[in-house]
Amino acid sequence: MTLRKAANLETLYTEIPFYDRFQAARKDGFEFIEFWGWTDKDLDALHAAARDAGIGICGFNGDADYSLIDPTHKKPYLDALRQSLEVAKKIGSLSVTIHSNALGDGGVVVNHYDDLSDTVKLCSMYDTLLACVPLADEYGVNLNLEGLNITTDHVGNFLQTTQMAAEIVRLIGSPRLKVLYDAYHMQLNEGKLADTLSTYVDAIGHIHVADAPGRHEPGTGEIDYALLLRHLENIGYTGIVGYELFPKTDTQTAVKAIMANG
């Protein structure tokens, strides 16, 4: 079985206008696209571009302004998530990506919450996630909880390990809530990619790929993606693999590497 691939249109095909990227991705063999925020998009144009290209939409970020770990954010977080789920339903997206902390421009963590204990942060995240699940059920859209690296791109992010993300997902126990495992972020935070995937594959709903260091295409860093993607198939992962990476030179060179490694 070949794993289904998604192109992140915020990082790939940036040489051409946004709504032309759908057709380019489909022509190159991607079955899905994903993107970051929706508030800066023309949703009708986006939906039409995906439909006309014959490509699916697998996800986008749904919670940039609010934090799961802030108890005072619970109501606005849920209100914002409902809006994102409505958008997902409108454009036919399979999932919405969520995070522990609000993210600003460039993915900068807006508030490190140094004034809150880890206990408060964790309990708040669990409590709000419990309330998120009925919304996901209502709209029929999945939620993928993503941990981020704290060394390079997202200093101060609370959710840093696959174990924490997977255990909270398992405790909540909803098929609508899974982990987004980003191999680039987790290589920087914890390493041992194959062993971690084997341990938590049941809790993982989506995979992100970029090599480390650098966040470029496979073959530019230290991760053996040909091996890792075979391992995903061997342990029974059946979800989508999203390529959220910045081409080292240009998109076409990056796409050749992507297709050659899985």
Side-chain angles (χ1 to χ4, degrees):
M1 182 189 77
T2 301
L3 294 169
R4 296 172 294 166
K5 297 179 177 65
N8 188 299
L9 299 189
E10 310 279 4
T11 63
L12 293 169
Y13 302 100
T14 57
E15 302 90 343
I16 59 178
F18 184 79
Y19 299 106
D20 293 339
R21 298 174 194 175
F22 295 76
Q23 191 70 51
R26 189 69 189 98
K27 183 178 178 182
D28 281 338
F30 291 100
E31 295 180 59
F32 296 90
I33 65 90
E34 56 186 53
F35 56 94
W36 290 339
W38 60 266
T39 56
D40 61 341
K41 306 293 191 298
D42 180 329
L43 298 178
D44 290 332
L46 190 153
H47 189 206
R51 181 197 63 220
D52 294 346
I55 197 166
I57 302 172
C58 65
F60 59 88
N61 293 343
D63 63 351
D65 293 333
Y66 300 101
S67 298
L68 283 169
I69 59 173
D70 184 341
T72 70
H73 278 198
K74 181 176 180 179
K75 184 182 185 307
Y77 187 98
L78 293 171
D79 290 342
L81 180 63
R82 180 179 287 278
Q83 285 186 296
S84 293
L85 291 169
E86 288 176 354
V87 169
K89 195 74 173 177
K90 174 183 175 69
I91 65 174
S93 178
L94 300 179
S95 72
V96 166
T97 303
I98 56 178
H99 306 87
S100 62
N101 294 62
L103 303 174
D105 291 343
V108 172
V109 175
V110 174
N111 190 335
H112 296 189
Y113 291 102
D114 294 329
D115 57 321
L116 297 181
S117 70
D118 285 356
T119 301
V120 169
K121 294 173 186 176
L122 187 59
C123 289
S124 175
M125 183 162 63
Y126 179 79
D127 180 56
T128 303
L129 284 172
L130 274 177
C132 290
V133 165
L135 291 179
D137 287 336
E138 178 183 342
Y139 286 93
V141 175
N142 295 333
L143 302 175
N144 289 319
L145 177 65
E146 182 179 25
L148 304 172
N149 83 75
I150 58 168
T151 65
T152 308
D153 304 292
H154 307 286
V155 174
N157 196 66
F158 178 66
L159 185 58
Q160 305 166 19
T161 68
T162 309
Q163 180 180 10
M164 180 184 285
E167 287 182 347
I168 201 167
V169 162
R170 285 172 173 172
L171 282 171
I172 290 173
S174 168
R176 287 289 178 199
L177 176 65
K178 295 290 184 179
V179 175
L180 193 165
Y181 181 88
D182 188 307
Y184 163 74
H185 290 311
M186 293 305 109
Q187 175 69 359
L188 295 180
N189 277 359
E190 62 189 19
K192 54 182 179 9
L193 304 184
D195 284 349
T196 300
L197 288 166
S198 294
T199 301
Y200 300 112
V201 65
D202 64 288
I204 294 172
H206 193 69
I207 302 285
H208 271 171
V209 163
D211 218 333
R215 207 172 187 177
H216 303 308
E217 61 266 27
T220 59
E222 63 191 9
I223 301 174
D224 186 341
Y225 269 112
L227 182 152
L228 194 66
L229 293 169
R230 286 198 303 272
H231 180 69
L232 277 171
E233 292 189 0
N234 290 339
I235 62 176
Y237 177 74
T238 58
I240 297 166
V241 176
Y243 290 82
E244 185 187 55
L245 56 87
F246 296 91
K248 192 165 187 178
T249 54
D250 57 67
T251 297
Q252 286 310 307
T253 303
V255 168
K256 287 178 184 177
I258 288 168
M259 297 304 173
N261 281 272

